[in-house]
Amino acid sequence: MSEKKEPSVWQGFKAFLMRGNVVDLAVAVVIGAAFTNIVNSVVKGVINPLVGAIGTKNLDSYSSCLKGPCTGTGDTATGVRILWGSVLGATLTFLITAGVVYFLMVLPMSKYLARVEARRKAKEGTQEVIEATELEVLKEIRDALVAQRGSGHNQQ
């Protein structure tokens, strides 16, 4: 009676790492980090100056005083401030990221997949027509054979 040798922890870990989805996930994280830098640069270099044309260039400086008096900044600040400008900046960053991902990645990919699916269905449709035509021909042959057999029996 021979015992099967269990794979070692190292072999199991190696098999886990060699799966395609782990590598794909790692690539996605690296690309996502690089993409975040691009989006942050767009917000800092384009969006913030556009907002700065209306008010201040730094969105983080937008705040409301909840409990006054709100004076000073940093450690010398007094009162309770709600820093809604930083929330606005993060929201803009998120919307830009979501928009770019959707319009440059999701939408083209879904159009491509729809085109591939349409081609596949068209190919299946022609095969179904061919199969249906073959079925009709076989039915006609059967009917002709039945008719021949029937007419042959009547003449004997």
Side-chain angles (χ1 to χ4, degrees), residues 6-102:
E6 291 288 323
S8 70
V9 174
W10 177 249
Q11 288 172 336
F13 183 67
K14 186 177 172 185
F16 170 74
L17 288 179
M18 290 300 132
R19 288 185 192 162
N21 54 0
V22 174
V23 174
D24 291 344
L25 182 60
V27 169
V29 168
V30 170
I31 295 296
F35 185 68
T36 300
N37 288 334
I38 293 171
V39 171
N40 288 337
S41 296
V42 168
V43 169
K44 192 176 190 180
V46 177
I47 302 297
N48 285 352
L50 290 175
V51 172
I54 300 168
T56 179
K57 196 173 185 179
N58 185 5
L59 290 178
D60 292 338
S61 65
Y62 286 110
S63 64
S64 296
C65 188
L66 187 62
K67 182 177 178 187
C70 291
T71 58
T73 58
D75 292 337
T76 62
T78 61
V80 178
R81 289 183 192 224
I82 296 177
L83 303 173
W84 59 270
S86 60
V87 174
L88 177 64
T91 303
L92 287 173
T93 301
F94 171 77
L95 290 175
I96 290 169
T97 304
V100 169
V101 166
Y102 180 76

Side-chain angles (χ1 to χ4, degrees), residues 114-130:
R115 209 175 311 132
V116 168
E117 183 67 19
R119 285 184 191 146
R120 186 186 65 77
K121 283 187 177 182
K123 194 179 217 183
E124 281 182 4
T126 56
Q127 288 175 350
E128 288 175 9
V129 169
I130 292 170

Side-chain angles (χ1 to χ4, degrees), residues 94-156:
F94 171 77
L95 290 175
I96 290 169
T97 304
V100 169
V101 166
Y102 180 76
F103 289 110
L104 294 181
M105 295 176 192
V106 173
L107 190 62
M109 183 58 80
S110 63
K111 285 184 178 181
Y112 170 74
L113 292 176
R115 209 175 311 132
V116 168
E117 183 67 19
R119 285 184 191 146
R120 186 186 65 77
K121 283 187 177 182
K123 194 179 217 183
E124 281 182 4
T126 56
Q127 288 175 350
E128 288 175 9
V129 169
I130 292 170
E131 288 174 9
T133 306
E134 289 175 0
L135 185 60
E136 290 171 5
V137 170
L138 289 172
K139 285 180 181 178
E140 289 175 11
I141 293 170
R142 179 200 63 200
D143 293 342
L145 288 172
V146 167
Q148 274 181 345
R149 200 178 296 158
S151 64
H153 287 296
N154 290 341
Q155 291 177 353
Q156 290 179 347

